[in-house]
Amino acid sequence: MPHPLRVHIESVCKLTDEEFEYIITHFTLLKHKKHSPLIREGDLVKHEYFVLKGCLRSYITDANTGKEFTYSFAAENWWVSEREAFTKHTPATTTVECLEDCELLALTYENRIKLGREIWKYEHYVSMKTNLGYVALQKRLQLMIMGNTKERFENFVEQYPQLYRRVPKTLIASYLGVSRETISRLYRK
Amino acid sequence: MPHPLRVHIESVCKLTDEEFEYIITHFTLLKHKKHSPLIREGDLVKHEYFVLKGCLRSYITDANTGKEFTYSFAAENWWVSEREAFTKHTPATTTVECLEDCELLALTYENRIKLGREIWKYEHYVSMKTNLGYVALQKRLQLMIMGNTKERFENFVEQYPQLYRRVPKTLIASYLGVSRETISRLYRK
């Protein structure tokens, strides 16, 4: 079976065996236990991660109330990091925690830039995938502005059926910006 | 004075005169009148646009109620298009209209890919700028999930002081997902 990262890159452009073998040498394998934080608020973020196994969530904590707001999930074959901190070299303003035991491939910022510079296909892959992520985020924002809770929930189930089954209801409620009661009602339908 | 598009690209990486002169040959100058739609719902979207002059807004229309929801603005030195339709070659689900008379530089999808392939710096520029756009969108979504209207407004004024002065209040209210009354109250403060 081809490597999951190779499959992911090749959904944008095909690689030779040599290219992929070179790319993969820039990554480090990491294991993280369930409930452990991968990134904490205030951390400098030196890596982005490709998820081989497990599920994670990113959340922001209200400084006044201490309340947590989940704003994204990640599972197998997704990239996860604290994008702003990773890109701008500023301290993380959000937390990323493992919801399950996780296996991750870590890439440093220096190696991300180096790979893009050396292998045009890698830069193109990042550019296209970021663009698709942008589109997905925009869709989510549009549904939020339009205020349609039911459509937001249906869109989530359709886009991420694997998360819908794996992630606690309360976290999905937080992600969608709705109450726990609303989410329970929507689940029952 | 250097060309605004050159300044924008060079905020990511410096170009030689030859590189920029080659890049700019791939763009076409367009003029659009105030109130005219640049992209209509249902259109196939063949171009993305760099704004030389003017201001635009993108909005989505609720199919049931006909109500419009503004989800983004663009002004000088911003890129604008219907990103999903442009990338996936699907019909546009949103409308982009000129709020003022506009001058735009249009780039076709084929030329976007060609430039990225021929000039690594261009691919890197797109990749880095998309990433920053993603971060900005994420911030906006986080503030929306956290439900803090005042912070959302302040964040908007701080990030886009030029829009705050140029764009009608009702459109900013729609963008922030708050009522017109709330926005008037915030403006007075």
Side-chain angles (χ1 to χ4, degrees):
Chain A
M1 259 217 338
H3 192 287
L5 179 60
R6 181 163 184 175
V7 174
H8 204 251
I9 299 174
E10 293 197 331
S11 69
V12 176
C13 43
K14 293 272 166 260
L15 299 174
T16 64
D17 291 346
E18 292 68 33
E19 281 168 337
F20 181 70
E21 278 155 30
Y22 181 70
I23 288 170
I24 199 71
T25 61
H26 292 78
F27 287 80
T28 318
L29 182 67
L30 261 192
K31 296 191 179 193
H32 257 262
K33 283 277 168 213
K34 184 171 173 170
H35 297 314
S36 71
L38 180 65
I39 297 168
R40 261 175 288 234
E41 224 186 291
D43 282 357
L44 287 175
V45 179
K46 305 238 180 272
H47 298 87
E48 57 182 356
Y49 305 89
F50 182 79
V51 184
L52 291 176
K53 191 169 157 293
C55 185
L56 305 96
R57 75 158 176 143
S58 305
Y59 65 90
I60 186 160
T61 310
D62 188 309
N64 297 317
T65 62
K67 199 176 159 187
E68 292 174 4
F69 295 87
T70 302
Y71 73 91
S72 70
F73 296 107
E76 286 82 12
N77 305 318
W78 292 18
W79 283 91
V80 65
S81 185
E82 215 272 23
R83 197 182 279 256
E84 183 170 26
F86 180 69
T87 311
K88 300 186 183 169
H89 314 296
T90 52
T93 57
T94 62
T95 302
V96 181
E97 69 160 12
C98 300
L99 295 174
E100 304 172 358
D101 289 348
C102 288
E103 284 179 31
L104 308 162
L105 286 176
L107 182 70
T108 63
Y109 187 79
E110 291 68 33
N111 277 334
R112 144 76 188 92
I113 298 297
K114 176 172 179 277
L115 279 179
R117 193 179 293 272
E118 292 176 350
I119 303 178
W120 177 82
K121 289 175 187 174
Y122 194 83
E123 192 69 23
H124 185 58
Y125 157 68
V126 173
S127 163
M128 295 310 267
K129 283 293 179 185
T130 307
N131 193 51
L132 291 177
Y134 189 104
V135 166
L137 206 57
Q138 207 170 40
K139 269 243 127 66
R140 192 173 152 209
L141 190 71
Q142 287 169 1
L143 289 176
M144 197 156 269
I145 294 174
M146 294 174 76
N148 189 326
T149 309
K150 188 160 161 280
E151 199 171 328
R152 232 140 82 204
F153 179 74
E154 286 169 355
N155 189 58
F156 179 82
V157 175
E158 194 185 312
Q159 269 202 294
Y160 311 118
Q162 76 284 22
L163 287 182
Y164 166 64
R165 283 186 292 266
R166 278 162 78 174
V167 171
K169 258 187 262 189
T170 45
L171 297 183
I172 294 180
S174 165
Y175 174 91
L176 294 173
V178 302
S179 70
R180 251 186 42 176
E181 291 69 37
T182 307
I183 209 85
S184 297
R185 192 165 43 74
L186 290 166
Y187 260 84
R188 278 197 301 274
K189 278 186 191 165
Chain B
M1 253 207 358
H3 192 287
L5 178 60
R6 181 164 184 175
V7 174
H8 204 251
I9 299 173
E10 292 197 331
S11 70
V12 176
C13 43
K14 294 273 165 260
L15 299 174
T16 64
D17 291 348
E18 291 68 34
E19 282 168 338
F20 181 71
E21 278 155 29
Y22 181 70
I23 288 170
I24 199 71
T25 61
H26 293 78
F27 288 78
T28 318
L29 183 66
L30 260 193
K31 296 191 179 195
H32 257 262
K33 283 278 168 212
K34 185 172 172 168
H35 297 315
S36 71
L38 181 64
I39 297 168
R40 261 176 287 235
E41 222 186 291
D43 282 358
L44 287 175
V45 179
K46 307 238 180 271
H47 298 87
E48 57 181 357
Y49 305 89
F50 182 79
V51 184
L52 290 175
K53 193 170 157 293
C55 185
L56 305 96
R57 75 158 177 143
S58 305
Y59 64 90
I60 185 160
T61 311
D62 188 309
N64 297 318
T65 62
K67 199 175 159 189
E68 291 174 5
F69 296 87
T70 302
Y71 74 90
S72 71
F73 296 107
E76 287 82 11
N77 306 317
W78 293 18
W79 283 90
V80 65
S81 185
E82 215 273 22
R83 197 182 278 256
E84 183 171 24
F86 179 69
T87 312
K88 300 186 183 170
H89 314 297
T90 51
T93 57
T94 62
T95 302
V96 181
E97 69 161 10
C98 300
L99 295 175
E100 304 171 359
D101 289 348
C102 288
E103 284 179 30
L104 308 163
L105 286 176
L107 181 69
T108 63
Y109 187 78
E110 291 68 33
N111 277 335
R112 145 75 188 94
I113 297 298
K114 176 173 178 279
L115 279 179
R117 193 179 292 273
E118 291 176 350
I119 302 178
W120 176 82
K121 289 174 187 174
Y122 194 84
E123 191 70 23
H124 185 57
Y125 157 68
V126 174
S127 162
M128 295 310 267
K129 282 292 181 187
T130 307
N131 193 51
L132 290 177
Y134 188 104
V135 166
L137 207 56
Q138 208 170 40
K139 269 242 126 65
R140 192 173 153 208
L141 190 71
Q142 287 169 3
L143 289 175
M144 197 155 268
I145 293 175
M146 294 174 75
N148 190 325
T149 309
K150 188 160 160 279
E151 199 172 329
R152 232 140 82 203
F153 180 74
E154 286 169 355
N155 188 59
F156 180 81
V157 175
E158 194 185 313
Q159 269 202 294
Y160 310 118
Q162 76 284 21
L163 287 181
Y164 166 63
R165 283 186 292 267
R166 277 163 80 174
V167 171
K169 259 187 262 189
T170 45
L171 296 184
I172 295 181
S174 165
Y175 175 91
L176 294 173
V178 301
S179 70
R180 251 186 41 176
E181 292 68 37
T182 306
I183 208 83
S184 298
R185 192 166 41 74
L186 290 167
Y187 261 84
R188 278 197 302 273
K189 279 188 192 162

